[in-house]
């Protein structure tokens, strides 16, 4: 016997809800693609490039490799469950801000995402929990960072891409001076960096961070570190010692294991690259088209 009319309408409503959503935003064509393996999970693409994955039923679930590594930094930024004051430069689908809110209730967060139409799309289609305590500002990342009070943040995360490239003005020592000003003593800075062979951008970014922070670590797929393929690397920096042993353990236990470089090995990795200043800064390299196929 077939389904009742009411059941068919209910099924049609469910299927309609889980259809892909496409909308023009400042950064290009934004698409929200439903995850067929998770009931209320979505992947955000901008002009075909994957940006974020969000599971509305389980915001502590991090699908993307680099987001898992940023999640490790969040987990190690303070004792478990302790609220954080966090600044996110680059919003996407607000994945990491949702993760902080879910794993550290009562955290206070500021997200800086200049693409206002994208923010509106995400808020409408992937609404935040009512108690999330996440404030979103639609302005340039560096400008928004400049409005953060001195020493306010326990954590600053930079994950800003425009056309799949990090803008030049977010790669310099002057930018990191603003990060340091916003961080409390002992706070953590984490940046999602993307590069491929010959890794000139990544080496320069490590040298730039080393000019402003006493302690650094880099988490990445070994193939990326060897210059075998284009990919993401997460840079972690602080004025205080980093939780290297636990970060290494967590990265190694990921579904796609990562390697943590630090100390002399990381210094040697830069190959003598010079710190980047505003005057010489350029955007990160564009990924090859094959990355998103």
């Amino acid at each position: 016997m077939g389904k009742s009319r009411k059941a068919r309408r209910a099924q049609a409503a469910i299927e309609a809800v889980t259809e892909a959503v496409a909308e023009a935003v400042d950064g290009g064509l934004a698409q929200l693609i439903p995850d067929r393996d998770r009931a209320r999970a979505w992947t955000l693409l901008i002009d075909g490039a994957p940006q974020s994955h969000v599971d509305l039923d389980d915001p502590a679930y991090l699908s993307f490799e680099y987001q898992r590594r940023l999640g490790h930094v969040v987990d190690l930024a303070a004792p478990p469950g302790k609220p954080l004051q966090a600044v996110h430069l680059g919003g996407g689908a607000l994945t990491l801000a949702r993760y902080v809110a879910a794993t550290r209730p009562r955290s206070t967060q500021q997200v800086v995402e200049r693409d206002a139409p994208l923010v509106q799309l995400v808020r409408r289609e992937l609404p935040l929990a009512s108690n999330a305590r996440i404030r979103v500002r639609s302005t340039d990342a560096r400008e928004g960072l400049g409005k953060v009070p001195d020493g306010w943040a326990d954590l600053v995360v930079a994950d800003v891409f425009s056309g799949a490239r990090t803008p030049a003005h977010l790669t310099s020592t002057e930018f990191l001076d603003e990060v340091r000003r916003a961080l409390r003593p002992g706070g953590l800075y984490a940046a999602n960096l993307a590069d491929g062979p010959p890794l000139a951008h990544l080496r320069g970014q490590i040298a730039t961070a080393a000019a402003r922070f006493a302690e650094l670590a880099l988490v990445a797929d070994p193939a990326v570190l060897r210059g075998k393929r284009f990919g993401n690397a997460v840079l972690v920096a602080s004025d205080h010692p980093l939780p290297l042993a636990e970060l290494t353990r967590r990265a190694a236990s990921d579904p796609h294991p990562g390697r943590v470089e630090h100390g002399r090995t990381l210094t040697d990795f830069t190959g003598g690259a010079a710190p980047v200043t505003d005057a010489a800064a350029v955007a990160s390299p564009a990924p090859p088209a094959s990355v998103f196929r």
Side-chain angles (χ1 to χ4, degrees), residues 46-94:
I46 304 292
D47 283 344
Q51 301 288 323
S52 306
H53 180 279
V54 169
D55 188 331
L56 295 178
D57 290 331
D58 183 10
Y61 173 76
L62 299 175
S63 176
F64 287 6
E65 179 181 289
Y66 85 87
Q67 289 180 334
R68 287 181 61 88
R69 289 167 184 162
L70 289 171
H72 298 329
V73 177
V74 171
D75 292 344
L76 299 173
K82 181 180 179 180
L84 292 177
Q85 295 187 165
V87 176
H88 304 266
L89 305 178
L94 308 178

